[in-house]
Structure formats: structure tokens, C-alpha cells
Amino acid sequence: MLFDTLKKDKMQAMKNHDALAKDILGIAINKCMLLSIEKKTKNEELTDADTLQLIQKTIKELEEEANNFKVAATHDPKYLEKVDELLKQQQILSAYLPKQLSKDEIKEIIFKLDDKSVPAVMKYFKANYAGSVDMKLVNQTLKEI
């Protein structure tokens, strides 16, 4: 399971004295544990898809935080260091994501579908390509078609 991989990699980061990796993997693990507890109350198990979704969400949060620090860096350059740190954390987590579909691959899939309505396409991609596609990109590509 991906969750177990995260835990092993955090242990390795601790052994390597890699504080940046240890911290971001710890955050991802904590989010997974909270979701796991929530799912257990519903007699469900944490899946790799859930873990991937949490990793993607964390990457987006890091991206937003980095953008905020970039704005702050225009007034005070000391924040640029924090931006670099956040981008490195994004790279660490991105390594756990499957290869993302490109815009051309998304178009190709959409053209093969019988129903090209927005709800049908979004539902199809969510069900069949969860974790390997950015849903914003699917929506944007669909609007261009």
C-alpha cells in the first residue's frame, strides 16, 4: 500500500537526516491516519486512491502557500527561501503520484466517449483516471473542444 511506502520513506528520511522530506511525509501520513480513522467509523478501509487524493490535495496546498510567499517576497526577499522549501516539498510528494495524463491524451479519451457532456466526462475521468489526471485540466480541455 502507498500509505506503508510513505511510512517507510519517512523512516529513511529520518535516518538520512533529511528534515524537509521527513516533515512533508509526516504531514501526508498524519492526513492519511486521520482519514483512516474517519473511514473506520464507517467500516471502510483506507485505499491507495484515498492516499493519492490526499497527496494531490497536499501538493495543491503547498502550491498555494508558495504563491503566497512569492507575493510576500516582493516586499521582503527573505521569503524566497521558504518558496524554495515549499517547491522541494512538492517535488518530494509528486514522486508518489502516477504519471499524469497530458492535455492531448485527455482530448483523445474525450473523443472516444459517446456522451461528451460535462457531467458525464467528469464522472468518467473521476472513476477511471483518479490520481492520474488533474480534473481542472479535464474541465479546461473539455471546454476547448
Side-chain angles (χ1 to χ4, degrees):
M1 266 187 81
L2 183 57
F3 180 62
D4 295 328
T5 304
L6 289 173
K7 290 193 293 189
K8 286 178 189 171
D9 290 351
K10 181 184 176 197
M11 290 298 292
Q12 189 61 46
M14 290 170 70
K15 289 177 184 175
N16 295 342
H17 302 288
D18 185 351
L20 204 60
K22 177 186 74 81
D23 291 345
I24 195 60
L25 291 172
I27 289 169
I29 290 167
N30 287 341
K31 287 182 178 191
C32 289
M33 290 173 73
L34 288 171
L35 183 60
S36 177
I37 292 168
E38 186 179 312
K39 285 184 148 283
K40 282 183 182 178
T41 62
K42 300 174 187 173
N43 291 328
E44 297 175 5
E45 291 290 321
L46 182 73
T47 64
D48 280 350
D50 295 327
T51 305
L52 281 174
Q53 194 173 19
L54 284 172
I55 290 172
Q56 285 178 320
K57 185 178 177 186
T58 305
I59 289 171
K60 287 182 182 181
E61 289 168 355
L62 288 169
E63 188 176 330
E64 288 173 15
E65 193 174 347
N67 289 335
N68 291 337
F69 274 106
K70 282 179 188 174
V71 171
T74 59
H75 302 295
D76 191 349
K78 71 178 180 185
Y79 292 115
L80 286 175
E81 200 174 291
K82 185 66 175 172
V83 172
D84 289 339
E85 185 179 304
L86 292 168
L87 294 176
K88 286 176 186 172
Q89 288 179 333
Q90 271 184 290
Q91 289 175 336
I92 291 167
L93 287 181
S94 294
Y96 295 96
L97 296 177
K99 178 188 170 291
Q100 298 291 298
L101 293 177
S102 70
K103 197 171 191 174
D104 292 333
E105 291 170 321
I106 293 169
K107 278 184 184 178
E108 191 177 310
I109 294 167
I110 292 172
F111 285 133
K112 291 179 183 176
L113 296 176
D114 294 330
D115 185 0
K116 292 176 180 58
S117 67
V118 174
V121 170
M122 297 303 279
K123 186 176 181 180
Y124 177 80
F125 274 91
K126 197 168 198 169
N128 296 297
Y129 295 97
S132 63
V133 69
D134 182 359
M135 295 306 286
K136 284 184 184 177
L137 184 59
V138 172
N139 194 13
Q140 181 184 10
T141 306
L142 185 57
K143 287 179 181 178
E144 290 175 6
I145 294 177

